[in-house]
Amino acid sequence: MASETIVDVREVPPFQRHPMIFETWDKLETGSAMILINDHDPKPLWYQFSVEYKDQFEWDYLEKGPDWKVRIKKV
């Protein structure tokens, strides 16, 4: 089974969240995933991934509020 890295940004200042997420993403091996835990729907992040990493990721909601959990897999 491929590994999954937990990235909990609920306590991270908003301006640091996306850089932290993309730094983690860059370190993932193909086939691995990160589980993003956020305090809101990370839909803007999905749009950013869609532009910058088109066809390179899978996005699956695991929980939708009050804490949001999304598995982002590098394919």
Side-chain angles (χ1 to χ4, degrees), residues 2 25 31-34 56-59 71-75:
W25 171 260
S32 295
M34 67 174 136
Q56 298 177 49
F57 74 99
E58 293 175 357
W59 181 280
R71 178 182 292 114
I72 308 169
K73 182 178 179 181
K74 188 177 269 192
V75 296

Side-chain angles (χ1 to χ4, degrees), residues 2-67:
S3 67
E4 294 183 337
T5 302
I6 304 296
V7 182
D8 186 344
V9 297
R10 293 173 292 181
E11 301 297 320
V12 175
F15 70 93
Q16 293 178 348
R17 291 180 180 190
H18 283 206
M20 179 181 174
I21 292 164
F22 284 109
E23 181 179 325
T24 303
W25 171 260
D26 289 339
K27 293 177 183 175
L28 290 179
E29 299 287 331
T30 300
S32 295
M34 67 174 136
I35 305 298
L36 174 65
I37 305 172
N38 205 352
D39 56 9
H40 65 276
D41 185 352
K43 194 69 166 177
L45 183 67
W46 179 87
Y47 287 115
Q48 190 172 355
F49 265 94
S50 294
V51 170
E52 296 183 24
Y53 300 100
K54 184 177 169 129
D55 300 325
Q56 298 177 49
F57 74 99
E58 293 175 357
W59 181 280
D60 297 304
Y61 283 100
L62 304 177
E63 289 185 28
K64 292 185 176 185
D67 290 324

